[in-house]
């Protein structure tokens, strides 16, 4: 009888010890953000900069909201290089911080309508193609994302239509916000519609 009780006790202890030693599942690995989605989000936000209206009494309705929506992507101390708006300026404009970028975004919004930035697609035997977005882990942490773009827009003042090609370079910090971005664009070409 003792032998049976001892055998049952040993079995129970060995089962509970083996259950206690069963490794717990590791926490799920953090997934890296999808570079294509990051690029598309930036394109979507800059495209919305023309989604505001002038009221009948001349007030800007919705401008602050679209500018703030664009700035939500950026770190407070963001460093930005954008093409010049002044026809006589040579070289890019450097902006530091969301306050300066906000002024640039508002000026862009006030001077452009029908803005369509689009990610360039490339084909290799397919009809529609793939959006070409490139990414790299940054040595100091975060993710670099770049992509070629097409830009089609109209000047708000006279509704002339322009076309440009270029590239966007984004550097995301570990906090998921853009720490730095650059927009390179070719000389704009006017689209003459007949």
């Amino acid at each position: 009888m003792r032998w049976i009780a001892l055998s049952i006790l040993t079995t129970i202890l060995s089962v509970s010890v083996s259950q206690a030693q069963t490794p717990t599942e590791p926490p799920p690995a953090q997934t890296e953000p999808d570079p294509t989605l990051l690029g598309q989000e930036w394109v979507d936000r800059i495209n919305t900069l023309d989604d505001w209206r002038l009221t009948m009494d001349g007030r800007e309705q919705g401008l602050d909201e679209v500018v703030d929506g664009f700035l939500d992507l950026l770190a407070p101390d963001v460093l930005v290089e954008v093409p010049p708006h002044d026809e006589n300026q040579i070289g890019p404009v450097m902006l530091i911080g969301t306050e300066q970028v906000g002024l640039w975004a508002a000026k862009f919004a006030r001077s452009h309508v029908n803005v369509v930035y689009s990610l360039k697609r490339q084909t290799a035997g397919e009809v529609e193609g793939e959006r070409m977005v490139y990414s790299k882990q940054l040595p100091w942490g975060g993710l670099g994302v770049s992509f070629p773009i097409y830009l089609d827009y109209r000047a708000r003042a006279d509704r002339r239509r322009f076309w440009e090609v270029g590239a966007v370079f984004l550097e995301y910090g570990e906090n998921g916000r853009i720490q730095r971005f650059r927009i390179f664009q070719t000389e704009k070409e006017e689209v003459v519609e007949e």
Side-chain angles (χ1 to χ4, degrees):
M1 187 77 153
R2 257 183 176 178
W3 181 255
I4 294 174
L6 188 58
S7 175
I8 292 173
L9 186 58
T10 306
T11 304
I12 292 172
L13 286 175
S14 66
V15 168
S16 63
V17 168
S18 70
Q19 286 178 348
Q21 292 179 352
T22 303
T24 59
E25 288 188 33
Q30 286 186 334
T31 58
E32 289 296 320
D34 182 342
T36 302
L37 294 178
L38 293 174
Q40 188 63 54
E41 180 181 35
W42 185 90
V43 165
D44 292 345
R45 297 280 181 103
I46 200 164
N47 283 340
T48 63
L49 287 177
D50 67 348
D51 291 348
W52 63 277
R53 303 288 175 258
L54 284 174
T55 63
M56 293 297 282
D57 58 352
R59 287 182 293 125
E60 297 171 339
Q61 184 177 33
L63 178 64
D64 291 339
E65 290 82 1
V66 296
V67 169
D68 289 345
F70 181 71
L71 296 179
D72 283 345
L73 296 174
L74 311 178
D77 60 344
V78 66
L79 179 62
V80 175
E81 287 181 45
V82 293
H85 278 285
D86 182 355
E87 298 290 331
N88 296 321
Q89 181 176 349
I90 298 173
V93 175
M94 293 291 297
L95 307 169
I96 301 172
T98 53
E99 185 176 343
Q100 287 185 357
V101 178
L103 294 172
W104 170 82
K107 183 176 182 179
F108 181 91
R110 288 184 180 110
S111 60
H112 294 73
V113 292
N114 299 17
V115 175
V116 179
Y117 271 89
S118 55
L119 294 169
K120 182 178 177 187
R121 291 181 180 263
Q122 182 172 317
T123 62
E126 295 180 27
V127 175
E128 190 169 336
E130 184 69 25
R131 289 186 219 125
M132 299 307 297
V133 177
Y134 306 92
S135 67
K136 178 184 184 337
Q137 290 296 318
L138 300 174
W140 47 84
L143 182 68
V145 176
S146 64
F147 45 90
I149 55 164
Y150 295 121
L151 172 57
D152 184 9
Y153 65 94
R154 291 182 182 271
R156 188 173 290 273
D158 57 14
R159 298 301 197 254
R160 289 185 306 151
R161 185 176 175 195
F162 294 95
W163 170 261
E164 298 179 52
V165 296
V168 175
F169 300 87
L170 307 172
E171 293 181 18
Y172 287 84
E174 293 179 333
N175 61 2
R177 294 197 166 205
I178 297 172
Q179 299 289 107
R180 183 178 189 139
F181 80 78
R182 298 179 189 114
I183 303 173
F184 294 111
Q185 291 171 199
T186 60
E187 285 190 33
K188 62 185 175 186
E189 292 187 33
E190 186 171 356
V191 177
V192 179
E193 298 173 319
E194 296 178 20

